Amino acid sequence: MTGAQLATTAALYSVRAEPAIVELARAAVRRLADAAPVADDARRALGQIERVGLGPPYTVAIAGDLAARTELLNWLAGERLFDPARADPDRIVMQVRRGPATSLRARRRDGSLEDHALDAADADGEPPTRRRSPRADRARTARADDVAAFRDAIAQSAEAETRVPLPRPRWWAVWRWLARWWRAWRSRGAPALPPPPPQVAPAAEPTAPAAEPTAPAAEPTAPAPRGFANTVSRGRRELRQDFVDALSACLADEVVERLFVEVRGGPLSDKVVVLELPSRANARVLDAAGADTCLVACGAHGFAMTEQLEVALAVVPHLFAVAAGAPADPRVRALDRAALASDLTEIATIERSIAVGERAVAALASGSAALDAAITRAETGFRARLDRLEALRIASPEDHVAAALARIRPPVLAQVQQLLRRALESVDGAIAELGAAWSARLGEAASTEDLRKAATQIDEESPGVLQRVQADAHRALTGGLTERARVHYRELIAELRRGSSRDDAAPPWLTAEVAIAEMTSSTSLGAVAPRLTSLFRSQGTLKAEALAQLEQRIARLRQVASANILDTEPRLEPAVTGALAVALRGEVERHVAWLEAELARERVAIDAERAQLAGFAAARDAARRDERELVTALAALAAELPPTGRSGA
């Protein structure tokens, strides 16, 4: 059913529009509950809506000051059952509805019940009989000793009681079952009563209902003691006063939890249940009580908005000021008391439909906004995911490599100088240690022949030893350069991969190679202590000359080794940056390939997620459409309510 159809239906048949409004609200919120982001909130709203029944009874709360409420309640009951001077509780206690008899039932906090009845109606049209109450007041009954009419009434009542079948008590009234059994057992042995003697009307009082009968010769057997119906000695006015007093006593009793009042007469519809909202009660309980609407009984001062009524407006759509002028607040409608008899059911029906519809409209508005926000967040997330990957794109790989190498060149130069100094110190120290060892060997020669042999051995082993010293220094230098290159490479690829999910390791082949001149020099001591010269010189002189010659050669070798290492200095920094450039270009190529694959994968994932969002978008559009239809239908229903004043027929 569309909104226009609902509006037309509401305009023509306001009471019949309730199922349509409620069903539309339920169907709309049920569709919204299928959308994942708002499923929980929509289900809660649907549960609240589905708890509202269709059709009567309708719950109407009556607020206002005590005197005005009492007058309105008495008018609805058709007689004065409520005392204006009664206690005004601080909570909702009393419920009034139509019933077969005017009666009340008080339920105490301990679960016990107290019943009072004013009258009852037989289904066969018999005269009303009073329902007895556990606390019925039997005061002021007349004595039947000397009044024949009373004796006749007692006899007729006892005889009728023996013939009338006792009503079956309720299952939980154990004491009534015992009393019923006792009365039935006692009535079996009771003697039959003689018929009442004929009555002659007295001449002096023709209007009297019956004359006193002639005194019998013998007193008839008295019936068993029984309760005497108060209606013999008391009229309905007195019974009503007792009922009013009992009702007021129950309202003043703190242990009375709920008070259920049924009225037989008055204009109160059997489709309406009335709750009295005392002046000090919290109007929020109207929600738990399921109130459909709220009437405000206005006194001589007219309608006045109170804090309690403001709270009530958060529960019910409108307030209806009874017997007041047109309120300025659009949430408050004026209603004449005469219109209550014919319009109260219709008003309660419309108010329930409006309440359900407004709750559904609020759920639909909130749900559509939440769905829209979820769709917007998802689209923003899609764009952010793609932008994050696009930010990793390298426009020019060569420019990127050049810029990266330019950033690391200053620290590489400093590190190369440090490694070069370490290599020079290592070579120089190693050759110095060799020279000291060789000098010691020459100094240990005991003869000229031993001196010649030591010099020859030093010349033979010095080239290999010197080459090993230079190789060790060269290996340490290239190792340091490779380590520095790999450290810078890890820094560069970490910067390149920042924000990505790449975790592949750096290539193990990254090394920094630099060539160094071969060490071909040796000690070259030659012929130490020639035989001819040794004939004219002492051994000590020959040894001193050999040591001096070795010292000169060691100094020369240190210079040659240092020169070989220093010759590599111009090639050290390019060796590091060149290796980094090759490795970084390969890394950039792998990064570009990874980025393209990651973008393609992300676009596929986004397309799949966007397909799910299509369902959210459809649910959002449906919720907005349902909301518009409900708003239109509710506006049509609200137009059926009394606007600013309405006179009933």
Side-chain angles (χ1 to χ4, degrees):
M1 179 176 289
T2 64
Q5 292 171 332
L6 280 174
T8 304
T9 304
L12 295 177
Y13 308 103
S14 298
V15 177
R16 298 181 184 178
E18 179 199 0
I21 290 285
V22 175
E23 287 304 320
L24 175 60
R26 289 179 177 178
V29 180
R30 194 176 294 115
R31 283 192 295 269
L32 185 63
D34 294 334
V38 295
D40 293 339
D41 294 339
R43 289 193 187 100
R44 282 193 292 270
L46 182 61
Q48 294 175 350
I49 292 174
E50 288 183 340
R51 282 197 297 269
V52 178
L54 294 176
Y58 300 99
T59 303
V60 177
I62 295 182
D65 60 85
L66 180 60
R69 291 200 314 270
T70 302
E71 182 182 356
L72 182 57
L73 288 172
N74 286 330
W75 182 83
L76 290 173
E79 56 182 324
R80 295 193 172 276
L81 302 179
F82 305 93
D83 188 357
R86 58 194 168 91
D88 197 18
D90 57 358
R91 56 190 173 84
I92 293 180
V93 176
M94 186 170 61
Q95 168 186 306
V96 183
R97 67 188 306 164
R98 176 168 288 279
T102 301
S103 62
L104 67 89
R105 166 167 290 185
R107 186 180 68 199
R108 295 185 175 86
R109 297 184 187 277
D110 60 0
S112 62
L113 301 174
E114 178 181 344
D115 292 337
H116 295 270
L118 179 59
D119 54 15
D122 274 343
D124 298 331
E126 295 295 329
T129 60
R130 183 171 182 266
R131 184 173 63 187
R132 298 189 61 183
S133 169
R135 295 182 56 187
D137 184 6
R138 299 302 182 186
R140 295 184 298 173
T141 57
R143 294 181 59 84
D145 297 342
D146 301 324
V147 181
F150 283 0
R151 289 198 303 269
D152 296 341
I154 291 174
Q156 292 175 4
S157 174
E159 183 179 3
E161 191 175 35
T162 61
R163 294 195 303 265
V164 176
L166 297 177
R168 294 174 60 85
R170 297 183 180 273
W171 65 269
W172 44 263
V174 179
W175 61 94
R176 293 189 181 179
W177 282 97
L178 294 175
R180 181 174 181 268
W181 172 82
W182 171 254
R183 294 173 63 187
W185 178 82
R186 190 178 62 176
S187 63
R188 290 186 304 173
L193 296 177
Q199 301 177 1
V200 181
E205 295 182 44
T207 59
E212 183 176 349
T214 304
E219 187 71 13
T221 303
R226 302 180 184 277
F228 185 71
N230 288 347
T231 52
V232 175
S233 62
R234 306 168 66 183
R236 178 176 175 82
R237 178 171 299 180
E238 295 180 2
L239 293 175
R240 184 173 63 192
Q241 186 58 44
D242 291 344
F243 186 88
V244 172
D245 294 341
L247 192 152
S248 299
C250 290
L251 287 174
D253 193 348
E254 290 293 335
V255 300
V256 173
E257 183 180 27
R258 291 299 300 272
L259 187 60
F260 304 94
V261 179
E262 292 186 357
V263 295
R264 182 180 180 184
L268 182 62
S269 171
D270 57 354
K271 298 179 180 179
V272 174
V273 175
V274 173
L275 297 178
E276 184 185 24
L277 181 64
S279 301
R280 294 178 297 165
N282 185 359
R284 182 64 62 181
V285 299
L286 294 179
D287 190 12
D292 295 309
T293 188
C294 182
L295 306 180
V296 182
C298 301
H301 300 289
F303 177 83
M305 181 64 72
T306 62
E307 182 179 357
Q308 182 192 55
L309 298 180
E310 287 285 356
V311 175
L313 280 172
V315 179
V316 297
H318 301 91
L319 296 177
F320 294 87
V322 181
D329 195 331
R331 301 172 298 173
V332 183
R333 306 298 179 97
L335 184 65
D336 290 343
R337 192 171 67 179
L340 288 179
S342 59
D343 296 349
L344 185 56
T345 302
E346 179 181 356
I347 289 174
T349 304
I350 295 175
E351 285 287 282
R352 177 186 290 182
S353 300
I354 291 176
V356 171
E358 287 180 348
R359 184 168 292 174
V361 166
L364 292 172
S366 175
S368 62
L371 286 172
D372 195 49
I375 294 172
T376 302
R377 283 195 305 269
E379 290 293 341
T380 303
F382 297 157
R383 186 68 263 166
R385 285 156 61 181
L386 293 176
D387 290 344
R388 178 180 58 81
L389 291 174
E390 288 292 343
L392 300 176
R393 187 181 294 279
I394 299 175
S396 174
E398 290 299 327
D399 292 344
H400 179 81
V401 172
L405 295 178
R407 287 196 307 273
I408 66 169
R409 184 168 282 110
V412 168
L413 289 173
Q415 292 163 1
V416 163
Q417 293 297 325
Q418 184 179 8
L419 292 173
L420 187 61
R421 285 194 300 270
R422 289 180 182 177
L424 290 173
E425 292 173 357
S426 174
V427 169
D428 190 67
I431 294 177
E433 290 178 359
L434 289 174
W438 289 335
S439 297
R441 288 171 61 182
L442 291 177
E444 293 174 355
S447 63
T448 303
E449 188 63 27
D450 292 339
L451 183 62
R452 292 191 190 100
K453 289 181 180 179
T456 301
Q457 291 176 355
I458 290 172
D459 285 344
E460 290 177 356
E461 66 183 27
S462 61
V465 173
L466 292 173
Q467 288 177 3
R468 284 196 299 271
V469 168
Q470 182 175 285
D472 291 342
H474 180 239
R475 186 163 49 251
L477 179 61
T478 55
L481 294 175
T482 299
E483 181 182 359
R484 294 293 179 267
R486 291 183 178 181
V487 169
H488 287 297
Y489 179 72
R490 286 192 292 269
E491 294 175 354
L492 292 175
I493 65 173
E495 181 181 354
L496 180 63
R497 297 179 182 184
R498 185 175 300 142
S500 69
S501 59
R502 296 186 59 195
D503 56 357
D504 49 305
W509 50 261
L510 177 60
T511 57
E513 296 289 344
V514 59
I516 190 172
E518 185 178 357
M519 186 72 172
T520 59
S521 302
S522 63
T523 54
S524 303
L525 295 177
V528 176
R531 294 186 182 275
L532 181 61
T533 304
S534 62
L535 295 175
F536 303 100
R537 295 182 182 178
S538 63
Q539 182 180 353
T541 302
L542 293 175
K543 185 181 293 188
E545 290 178 356
L547 291 173
Q549 184 180 358
L550 178 61
E551 184 178 356
Q552 292 176 359
R553 293 300 301 170
I554 291 299
R556 177 60 183 168
L557 290 173
R558 292 171 66 180
Q559 292 176 357
V560 172
S562 298
N564 288 340
I565 293 176
L566 288 174
D567 287 343
T568 63
E569 180 180 6
R571 302 192 300 273
L572 296 181
E573 182 270 331
V576 175
T577 55
L580 282 174
V582 173
L584 193 56
R585 287 190 185 94
E587 178 66 22
V588 169
E589 292 176 359
R590 289 191 296 272
H591 179 80
V592 170
W594 169 85
L595 182 60
E596 293 299 331
E598 192 69 12
L599 282 171
R601 185 193 65 79
E602 194 69 32
R603 290 190 181 97
V604 171
I606 288 174
D607 290 341
E609 295 177 23
R610 189 173 281 125
Q612 295 179 353
L613 288 180
F616 295 167
R620 176 199 60 190
D621 296 340
R624 289 176 176 173
R625 182 176 61 253
D626 294 337
E627 180 185 355
R628 289 192 297 269
E629 292 180 359
L630 274 174
V631 168
T632 302
L634 292 177
L637 275 181
E640 294 295 307
L641 295 173
T644 55
R646 181 176 179 181
S647 300

